[in-house]
Amino acid sequence: MAPLKSVKRDTIDRRLQQVLDFANQTCTLLNDRAPLPKTLDGELDAIIKRSFPFSASLPLTGKASTLDVLGSHLWNAATNLLRDEENGGDDVRDHKARMRLLVLLRVFGFHLIDAAHHTSSRRSKDQDQRIRIFKIALKACRFSLDHGEVELAMKVLERCSEYASAAEEDFPIVRIADATDGDETDHHTTLKHLVAEYYLLRLTYAWKTDRYDLADHFFSKLNLDEMASSPALAEKAADVFHEAARILAGKQSWEAANRWCERAVSALDSCELEDLSHDAPELRLAITATVVQGCLANSNAGSRQRAINLIEHLESAYSMSNRMAVTLMRFQILMAVPPLQLADVDAVMAKMIRQGVLTDKSFKT
């Protein structure tokens, strides 16, 4: 009779080999552009939930290259399939089912790459590799959240937390001028931005699962002053905050919605206007529209003035005075909040008439 330890080791070895065999088979299918089995998404889901993260008892020594190559291949194949989907590929799969398959492939690929990173202490301490895998983890999580796969997103977030904790331990408590070279400074800056993205994803997961108490907690973890050094990150934060506000507004939780709108405005205001992307004006418009929606639901002088201030900012800073949507918001506020200023109403209506383009749709409206 075989010793118990030997039997257990054989079982562990078989489980690892099953994962590697499945990854190899999936890579071959994707390489050959063969029709994908209808059971593939279920098999991917099962193996991700059953196998990852790998147990510390798994014999991964010598498997780093294999794991990294397989994971990278699956990740790249999923990216190519996503491009095909965006370009209107001829696959007959339902779009939602197809996107779920891409999420599963990316998450599976990430877990294999993550496992490769932990095969030895030398690999796990490699700073460039840590940054690379942290970025992949954040992309996998964001892709999962964007397509409603919150359970898979949480599984990736659990791994992200390790990279975020390790990164925060690397941050110097006191920055001494000229004490570090440029490469190390860039390294710390990159890690700080990645950690901020991690907290934004934790925040997103929280509001997607109706845990706004946790969303507030993770908001408190963000360093908004440091985020201002990266306009792209600040804009991303504003978008996340506004999405939370929009969901709360849909539930008529106006006070909380307004709080998240103000956080979104602050994130955008922390950057110079010219440093923001071309999408920033539309994001600012959407945030203002949510604030106006709350103003209309809870009419009072304070909320009215705040809404008007935001509208005036759109008109002056973003040159949106000729946008019908902006003029309509001003009209809605004038009509909803007493006392009614007839002269102002007349002026806004005259402006709307000048801006209006008569079409079949607008005429019927």
Side-chain angles (χ1 to χ4, degrees), residues 197-241:
E197 285 196 48
Y198 162 71
Y199 284 126
L200 286 175
L201 289 173
R202 290 302 302 253
L203 195 157
T204 302
Y205 175 85
W207 65 254
K208 278 183 177 286
T209 53
D210 290 328
R211 289 296 308 274
Y212 283 92
D213 55 332
L214 282 178
D216 283 325
H217 168 72
F218 287 116
F219 173 79
S220 71
K221 295 278 189 179
L222 292 167
N223 187 326
L224 298 181
D225 291 333
E226 285 187 357
M227 273 205 302
S229 65
S230 171
L233 186 58
E235 197 170 326
K236 189 178 295 183
D239 190 38
V240 169
F241 300 160

Side-chain angles (χ1 to χ4, degrees), residues 153-171:
M154 188 67 246
K155 201 166 182 68
V156 178
L157 279 172
E158 289 170 357
R159 301 302 304 140
C160 284
S161 65
E162 178 182 317
Y163 291 97
S165 297
E168 288 179 319
E169 289 173 5
D170 281 352
F171 298 159

Side-chain angles (χ1 to χ4, degrees), residues 1 20 48 55 73-74 86 94 101 112 152 172 174-175 193-194 218 303 348 353:
M1 182 176 177
L20 295 177
I48 290 169
S55 167
H73 189 93
L74 287 166
E86 290 172 343
D94 173 75
L101 177 60
L112 291 171
L152 288 169
V174 178
R175 173 69 68 191
H193 289 169
L194 293 176
F218 287 116
S303 63
V348 171
I353 292 169

Side-chain angles (χ1 to χ4, degrees), residues 225-295:
D225 291 333
E226 285 187 357
M227 273 205 302
S229 65
S230 171
L233 186 58
E235 197 170 326
K236 189 178 295 183
D239 190 38
V240 169
F241 300 160
H242 176 245
E243 278 299 306
R246 195 177 58 80
I247 298 299
L248 285 162
K251 298 177 180 180
Q252 298 187 349
S253 299
W254 301 113
E255 183 178 349
N258 187 65
R259 183 168 65 250
W260 283 101
C261 278
E262 291 298 336
R263 289 169 175 175
V265 169
S266 296
L268 290 179
D269 285 347
S270 68
C271 302
E272 295 296 329
L273 194 60
E274 58 269 20
D275 293 334
L276 296 172
S277 77
H278 295 300
D279 295 326
E282 295 303 320
L283 176 56
R284 186 81 183 218
L285 177 62
I287 295 167
T288 303
T290 304
V291 172
V292 170
Q293 186 183 2
C295 172

